[in-house]
């Protein structure tokens, strides 16, 4: 059995969502069933990058994570692309046997039995600006598959007012899921520096919308890695 | 009974630590038993500002929080100065009766019975660069007082290598307390804009120290409010 892997990197910190700031090694899976208009990880999504993806056994993936982390347990984030396309159960089993913790980030379109083995599952339904539309039945199957996972939450990226209103409606459907909002990042060219002031201005816009509306359920967070490294890869 | 209050403001988001990104109203208490060299809240610490502090009953404090939040429950952060100098038990009781949640930020020098009524207690022992020294017996009394508080954690500000090594030693003393590190902010003049690049460079420095050393216990976070608003007050 092999998996398609776009990159394995770290340790760095998790830049967004519930585990923001947490030392993490990232396993970025290659391949996605979505093609969001503003995707910031096309190198793990667009099949034109397919020749750059590694074909690795679970054992080889695990050896690389162990090498990067010096054999010291930490949090591993399985992201993508959509990692739920593939079977990460063997990698998770190897890591948990050595005391590592696992988080997974997925849009919630495909459910996997291994969601139940995760410490954290972040479901990121994509708002209208993505150009995708959410299959809520599939999303529900993800929640069911994750019933044994102690930390399941939603993260929604907000580019505009329409996304924001959509997020409020989604939050109404799932009032018991912790919710994290982050402003969308339209600057995704890895070769161009990011405008820090524009980044923090977008965060301010979203903070003011949420607090101005008296909507106190979501946490509002930036992408720290973009503030620190721009769109550089491998950090 | 009255309390000395430097400011009550919000709703905004919590800018640092475990509750980063959480919509919050802040009650900033006036007065402190410390005088850290790099204090970013001197207007709540230095007694020369004392004439600016409000003298408020718990009822008046509660009415102001309720007004700011539109009567919608959210997280209230009691900070300072050192809020543990004063008795916030009546304010907490009023807020909890209406479904509000309470966090408190204190250096951990003075223990209070009302710590047990908090949802979150953040203890911030001050590193060598502060010019203060920690009374660990007092810190231990704070931990004991907070036994009924479900979320107790440490936050340590790091200005330099000495602070960093100190934080590692402190973490060794309290391995079960979740730990948050944040780079120190030497730019504390509310009338001068903050250098965003310098802020993110300090965060990068701390991330690289932690990950480079394979120290995976702490989360590393910036002060989001400084990135968004600089040192402006009341946000």
């Amino acid at each position: 059995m092999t998996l398609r892997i776009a990159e394995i990197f770290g340790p760095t910190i998790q830049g967004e969502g519930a585990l923001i700031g947490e030392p993490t090694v990232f396993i970025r899976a290659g391949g996605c069933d979505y093609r969001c208009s503003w995707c910031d990880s096309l190198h793990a999504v667009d099949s034109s990058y397919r020749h750059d993806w590694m074909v690795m056994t679970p054992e080889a993936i695990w050896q690389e994570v162990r090498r990067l982390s010096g054999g010291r347990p930490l949090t591993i984030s399985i992201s993508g692309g959509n990692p739920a396309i593939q079977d990460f159960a063997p990698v998770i089993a190897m890591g948990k046997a050595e005391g590592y913790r696992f988080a997974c980030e997925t849009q919630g379109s495909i459910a996997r039995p291994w969601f139940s083995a995760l410490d954290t599952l972040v479901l990121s339904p994509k708002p209208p600006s993505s150009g995708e539309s959410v299959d809520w039945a599939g999303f529900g199957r993800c929640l069911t598959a994750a019933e044994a996972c102690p930390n399941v939450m939603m993260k929604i990226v907000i580019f505009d007012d329409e996304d924001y209103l959509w997020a409020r409606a989604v939050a109404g459907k799932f009032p018991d899921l912790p919710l994290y909002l982050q402003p969308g990042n339209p600057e995704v060219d890895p070769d161009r520096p990011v405008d820090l002031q524009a980044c923090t201005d977008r965060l301010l816009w979203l903070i003011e919308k949420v607090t101005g509306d008296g909507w106190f359920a979501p946490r509002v967070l930036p992408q720290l890695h973009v503030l620190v490294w721009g769109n550089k890869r491998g950090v």
Side-chain angles (χ1 to χ4, degrees), chain A residues 38-122:
Chain A
W38 33 251
C39 179
D40 62 359
S41 306
L42 273 181
H43 61 296
V45 169
D46 196 294
S47 58
S48 67
Y49 291 89
R50 197 183 170 89
H51 58 280
D52 293 333
W53 299 343
M54 300 169 281
V55 176
M56 300 178 79
T57 62
E59 291 77 11
I61 293 169
W62 184 246
Q63 287 309 316
E64 177 62 3
V65 171
R66 191 200 259 146
R67 185 186 71 79
L68 288 168
S69 58
R72 296 186 192 90
L74 82 170
T75 293
I76 297 163
S77 176
I78 303 175
S79 68
N82 184 359
I85 291 178
Q86 305 185 77
D87 183 8
F88 279 92
V91 175
I92 295 169
M94 287 177 215
K96 290 187 83 164
E98 296 183 26
Y100 287 69
R101 297 175 298 281
F102 283 86
C104 174
E105 308 224 8
T106 174
Q107 56 264 55
S109 55
I110 300 170
R112 281 280 175 179
W114 52 262
F115 288 177
S116 63
L118 295 166
D119 299 282
T120 302
L121 176 65
V122 181

Side-chain angles (χ1 to χ4, degrees), chain A residues 6-221:
Chain A
E7 52 184 345
I8 301 176
F9 63 93
T12 179
I13 61 157
Q14 170 58 258
E16 54 189 62
L19 297 176
I20 191 167
E22 172 91 3
T24 300
V25 166
F26 287 85
I27 301 173
R28 191 187 294 283
C32 196
D33 47 325
Y34 276 25
R35 181 66 162 75
C36 298
S37 61
W38 33 251
C39 179
D40 62 359
S41 306
L42 273 181
H43 61 296
V45 169
D46 196 294
S47 58
S48 67
Y49 291 89
R50 197 183 170 89
H51 58 280
D52 293 333
W53 299 343
M54 300 169 281
V55 176
M56 300 178 79
T57 62
E59 291 77 11
I61 293 169
W62 184 246
Q63 287 309 316
E64 177 62 3
V65 171
R66 191 200 259 146
R67 185 186 71 79
L68 288 168
S69 58
R72 296 186 192 90
L74 82 170
T75 293
I76 297 163
S77 176
I78 303 175
S79 68
N82 184 359
I85 291 178
Q86 305 185 77
D87 183 8
F88 279 92
V91 175
I92 295 169
M94 287 177 215
K96 290 187 83 164
E98 296 183 26
Y100 287 69
R101 297 175 298 281
F102 283 86
C104 174
E105 308 224 8
T106 174
Q107 56 264 55
S109 55
I110 300 170
R112 281 280 175 179
W114 52 262
F115 288 177
S116 63
L118 295 166
D119 299 282
T120 302
L121 176 65
V122 181
L123 297 172
S124 302
K126 302 305 177 188
S129 65
S130 69
E132 293 287 346
S133 63
V134 176
D135 165 14
W136 291 108
F139 192 86
R141 286 190 291 274
C142 288
L143 290 176
T144 302
E147 269 171 1
C149 172
N151 299 298
V152 180
M153 63 268 301
M154 276 196 300
K155 185 176 69 183
I156 301 181
V157 174
I158 310 288
F159 275 80
D160 54 30
D161 287 340
E162 189 183 0
D163 287 354
Y164 175 79
L165 291 173
W166 184 88
R168 288 205 69 159
V170 170
K173 279 194 235 218
F174 302 100
D176 297 331
L177 280 184
L179 175 61
Y180 293 76
L181 301 183
Q182 72 188 31
N185 173 22
E187 305 180 73
V188 294
D189 183 341
D191 298 322
R192 291 186 60 178
V194 153
D195 180 339
L196 277 180
Q197 186 67 52
C199 275
T200 61
D201 284 350
R202 288 189 291 267
L203 179 60
L204 176 59
W205 170 78
L206 188 54
I207 293 168
E208 290 185 339
K209 279 197 86 72
V210 167
T211 57
D213 284 351
W215 186 27
F216 301 142
R219 290 211 204 176
V220 183
L221 290 172

